[in-house]
Amino acid sequence: MKVVQHLGASHAWRLERGVLDDGREVFVKTGAVSALFTSEAAGLRWLGEAAAVVEVIEAGPDRLVLSWVEAERPTPVAAERFGRMLARMHRAGADGFGAPWPGFIAELPMDNAAAPDWPAFYASRRVLPFVRRAGALSAGEVAQVEAAVAKFPEISGPAEPPARIHGDLWSGNVMWSGGTGVLIDPAAHGGHRETDLAMLDLFGTPYLDRILGAYREEYPLADGWRERVPLHQLHALLVHVVLYGDGYRGQLMGAVERVLRLG
């Protein structure tokens, strides 16, 4: 492979654009990141059984080679296609809550061990571990998050089977190409489908109303899903507090307050 462009760095890895011997363009991540790249590759291949994802060409402990995706401007039609595709991916399901590969979000490890139901998985594998890492939170704020966690069983809505979810589906992890959204950088696992939809809402996604409308036509959502959006955003906001500190504390605690009012 020949490197043709250095694209800088992201978190703990370097980014490059390359060309393979057969002429294919590729996107390359390099770095000493333990099992992160092989975990990402496993998630992409799993999601790719039911959705458009970036193709994995090579994955190892210090390098991940992916197909190059030529980006386009999003359109309402592409957003609707993406919404329907996302619904089908979720409906493809998972064997349980969790995944058989190590979990990562950015460079942070996550426990993907199975749990008996989604509220237990979300509390013990996602929210509480990151509360313990969030040094920017005061003791009182930690207590508020823990009070919200205690409510998970009663406010999570009707029980649903494990969905095949991306797990970190903010707008930057959707590339618009080929008339639809292509998934990149997953934290894939068996989870709750509302989590992916709440992530799309967290930092804004183009034509989100079209995505959600098409999604709901394909796979209707349970009553109360809009009110549960802050519940499903808690983990992502905690991750941002861990990574970036005090700047996201206010947004996190606002979501916690809304969760405490549920039910």
Side-chain angles (χ1 to χ4, degrees), residues 11-45:
H11 299 287
W13 47 89
R14 297 179 303 279
L15 308 175
E16 297 168 325
R17 184 174 185 172
V19 178
L20 300 180
D21 292 343
D22 61 10
R24 285 181 293 167
E25 286 191 279
V26 291
F27 180 76
V28 185
K29 300 181 181 183
T30 58
V33 291
S34 180
L36 191 152
F37 290 155
T38 54
S39 172
E40 180 177 337
L44 283 169
R45 289 170 176 140

Side-chain angles (χ1 to χ4, degrees), residues 7-252:
L7 301 173
S10 177
H11 299 287
W13 47 89
R14 297 179 303 279
L15 308 175
E16 297 168 325
R17 184 174 185 172
V19 178
L20 300 180
D21 292 343
D22 61 10
R24 285 181 293 167
E25 286 191 279
V26 291
F27 180 76
V28 185
K29 300 181 181 183
T30 58
V33 291
S34 180
L36 191 152
F37 290 155
T38 54
S39 172
E40 180 177 337
L44 283 169
R45 289 170 176 140
W46 184 59
L47 298 178
E49 295 172 3
V53 304
V54 62
E55 179 189 358
V56 177
I57 295 170
E58 176 192 327
D62 57 5
R63 187 168 83 163
L64 178 63
V65 181
L66 305 168
S67 60
W68 182 265
V69 177
E70 202 62 48
E72 302 170 349
R73 292 180 65 86
T75 67
V77 171
E80 290 172 2
R81 288 192 189 117
F82 176 66
R84 288 189 289 271
M85 181 189 75
L86 189 62
R88 292 191 292 269
M89 183 185 83
H90 288 165
R91 188 171 256 158
D95 291 336
F97 294 103
W101 49 78
F104 290 89
I105 189 162
E107 68 269 34
L108 302 176
M110 297 189 298
D111 186 355
N112 273 346
D117 55 40
W118 182 77
F121 177 84
Y122 192 53
S124 64
R125 309 289 191 257
R126 293 295 182 263
V127 176
L128 290 176
F130 284 83
V131 171
R132 299 181 191 113
R133 302 182 200 180
L137 299 182
S138 69
E141 288 166 336
V142 168
Q144 283 185 278
V145 177
E146 290 173 341
V149 170
K151 294 189 66 174
F152 285 179
E154 65 184 87
I155 63 173
S156 297
E160 293 203 0
R164 186 172 305 211
I165 74 168
H166 179 283
D168 188 19
L169 197 59
W170 71 288
S171 59
N173 285 342
V174 181
M175 290 196 68
W176 298 97
S177 186
T180 188
V182 177
L183 301 177
I184 64 171
D185 294 348
H189 63 280
H192 198 301
R193 61 196 179 111
E194 290 178 15
T195 300
D196 274 352
L197 304 182
M199 281 295 296
L200 288 172
D201 183 70
L202 184 56
F203 300 120
T205 298
Y207 303 111
L208 181 58
D209 57 336
R210 297 292 190 101
I211 295 171
L212 294 174
Y215 182 101
R216 294 171 66 196
E217 288 178 4
E218 185 81 23
Y219 194 3
L221 291 159
D223 289 346
W225 68 272
R226 289 190 184 276
E227 289 71 28
R228 290 189 292 272
V229 165
L231 165 65
H232 289 272
Q233 292 176 342
L234 289 182
H235 174 238
L237 289 169
L238 276 164
V239 168
H240 279 73
V241 172
V242 172
L243 287 173
Y244 307 114
D246 193 64
Y248 287 92
R249 185 171 57 85
Q251 193 172 358
L252 167 66

